[in-house]
Every structure is written in structure tokens, then in C-alpha cells.
Amino acid sequence: MALHYNIPAPRVKHACRKDTNLHDLLKRRATGLLPPIQMCDALSRNVSKDFQTILANCLAHARRKFVELVDRFPDDCAHVSNELATVYKYEAIARAEKTSPEDRLAYHRLNTEAVMTALEAWCHQQFAEMTVEPKSGLGKAITYLLKHWKELTCFLKVPGAPLDNNICERALKFAILNRKNSLFYKTQGGAYVGDLFMSLIHTCQLSGVNPLDYLIWLLKNTKALQSSPHTFMPWHYQDQNR
């Protein structure tokens, strides 16, 4: 499984470190499981000190560093963006064909590995030929790519490893909108209830379930819900309401 990690701090007076959030999340996993694939950006505070994970870094974050410099280094940034666009093209094909994690890995190795290998060689070449100043904006973007190359290319080594953290970034928009609409919470309990409903609504959307219908279903079955809450998760709604 891939663990997309980018948990926002609680919306109360005190802040919470990301590594503490990650520790609490991994602590809840059942024992005896294989290490999860952890997708995140390359910040050191995103790495767990107590639990083993298979670390993958976000390729979209790396690409963004070049996009931000396109006005200053148009040719170089266009080259990197075009190469990564090819990678995402093959990823879109693999998704459209609904390949298994193992088949997706083999597909990327066949079609994408050469693209990434050439891009890595190009990055090294810029420094070797001294065409880029290492401390310039472009130099720092290239250095970021090379420094985190192993994690950025995890999708070429581990079945199921994602290319980026976009799925989590999109999910965070719900938390941001929820915070904006609520004008912040006054208590931890209020934040907990708000986040609970936000999580249920988003899970309904991911499960293809109408959130309003689902919440009404919960209200109509409160006694059964209390005795067997695991059977009332959003992904069970359609099976029990056909």
C-alpha cells in the first residue's frame, strides 16, 4: 500500500510537528505488516525516526522547482518539464489500462526508466561542463533532483509506488476549505467533530457515494451503528442500499 503523507497541523492554539503526526499514524498500523510506501516531499521532518517505511519523494514537487524558474532559464526548464511530461504520459496509460502494481512497474521500467536515466545524466552534465552555476536557482533545482534521485525514482523499483503526492495535496484542499468556512475552531472537541465530518464526506466522494444520503443513512441506523460501526463505513453504503 502507498501511504501518502502530508497531514496538516490541528486547528487549535498549539501547533503539532509533522513527524509527531506521522509517528501517531504509523503507530496505529497492525503489527506484522510490511513497511508501507511513504510518499511525501523531501523535508527531513517527514521521515519517521521510529518506524520503517519505503520512502518515495514527490516528482511534482521536483518539477515545480523548474516551473518556477522558466522565465529565467526557459530552455533548461522546458527540457526537464518535457522529460517529466513523458513520464506522466506513460503513467496515464498505465492507469487507463488499470494495470496491477507489478505490471505497472514492468511497464515503467520498459518505457520510463530510459527517460529518467537520460534526465539524470543531463543533470550531471550541466555541472560537469560548468554550464550551470550550482548556487543559482537552476543549480539548486538540479541539485534537489540529484540529491533525492533514489526517492524520486521509487516508482521504478517498488510495485505500487506513486509518482507524486498529488492525491494528498488534493485531499488537503478539503481541510483548508473546512478551516476557512469554520473561521477556525475554539476547542479541540469542535475541531475533532469538524474533521470527522470532513473525513467522512471526502471518503464518500472517493467511494462514489452521495455524502448527504450516507449521513442520513447513519442517522436512521444509530443503534446498529453503535454496535457495529465497521459495517457502516462509506464503502459499505451501496452494498447495503441496493
Side-chain angles (χ1 to χ4, degrees):
M1 63 170 291
L3 172 67
H4 293 258
Y5 175 68
N6 197 355
I7 299 177
R11 297 182 296 282
V12 289
K13 293 183 179 180
H14 65 278
C16 185
R17 287 175 55 87
K18 281 188 176 182
D19 54 0
T20 302
N21 286 332
L22 178 60
H23 174 88
D24 293 343
L25 178 64
L26 293 173
K27 189 176 180 180
R28 294 173 179 270
R29 296 188 79 231
T31 58
L33 298 176
L34 294 174
I37 301 169
Q38 179 190 345
M39 166 52 68
C40 59
D41 59 33
L43 292 175
S44 60
R45 65 173 178 263
N46 285 330
V47 180
S48 173
K49 299 179 178 62
D50 303 304
F51 296 93
Q52 181 184 2
T53 64
I54 300 173
L55 188 61
N57 284 164
C58 179
L59 204 57
H61 275 80
R63 176 185 177 276
R64 192 175 304 145
K65 295 182 179 297
F66 292 91
V67 172
E68 293 171 352
L69 300 170
V70 69
D71 292 338
R72 296 166 54 192
F73 307 94
D75 294 337
D76 295 311
C77 292
H79 173 73
V80 175
S81 295
N82 290 336
E83 294 299 283
L84 294 180
T86 301
V87 174
Y88 274 89
K89 180 190 73 174
Y90 287 120
E91 171 69 3
I93 294 174
R95 288 185 179 182
E97 295 180 355
K98 298 181 179 180
T99 57
S100 67
E102 291 74 18
D103 289 341
R104 172 179 171 271
L105 174 61
Y107 182 78
H108 271 301
R109 284 180 173 173
L110 178 64
N111 296 283
T112 307
E113 190 166 20
V115 178
M116 295 301 292
T117 300
L119 179 58
E120 182 183 21
W122 179 88
C123 290
H124 284 294
Q125 182 182 6
Q126 306 315 301
F127 291 145
E129 296 181 355
M130 300 183 182
T131 58
V132 175
E133 168 59 44
K135 293 185 179 181
S136 67
L138 181 59
K140 291 179 180 179
I142 293 175
T143 298
Y144 180 91
L145 264 182
L146 295 176
K147 181 178 180 181
H148 304 290
W149 192 260
K150 177 182 176 182
E151 292 79 13
L152 289 168
T153 57
C154 186
F155 70 96
L156 292 173
K157 308 177 188 72
V158 181
L163 269 68
D164 54 45
N165 203 31
N166 288 349
I167 186 173
C168 187
E169 298 285 348
R170 288 193 294 269
L172 280 179
K173 292 182 179 179
F174 288 92
I176 295 170
L177 181 61
N178 185 34
R179 180 178 63 183
K180 180 180 178 181
N181 290 339
S182 66
L183 298 178
F184 294 84
Y185 292 104
K186 293 184 178 180
T187 66
Q188 185 78 39
Y192 174 80
V193 173
D195 289 349
L196 177 64
F197 278 102
M198 178 191 67
S199 179
L200 285 173
I201 291 171
H202 184 49
T203 304
C204 284
Q205 293 175 338
L206 294 175
S207 303
V209 174
N210 183 296
L212 180 59
D213 292 342
Y214 170 75
L215 293 175
I216 292 175
W217 179 55
L218 295 185
L219 291 173
K220 290 181 177 179
N221 295 275
T222 53
K223 291 185 178 180
L225 174 62
Q226 293 175 4
S227 62
S228 182
H230 63 280
T231 62
F232 285 87
M233 299 304 290
W235 49 85
H236 293 309
Y237 174 79
Q238 291 179 336
D239 293 336
Q240 299 190 35
N241 290 273
R242 290 177 178 175

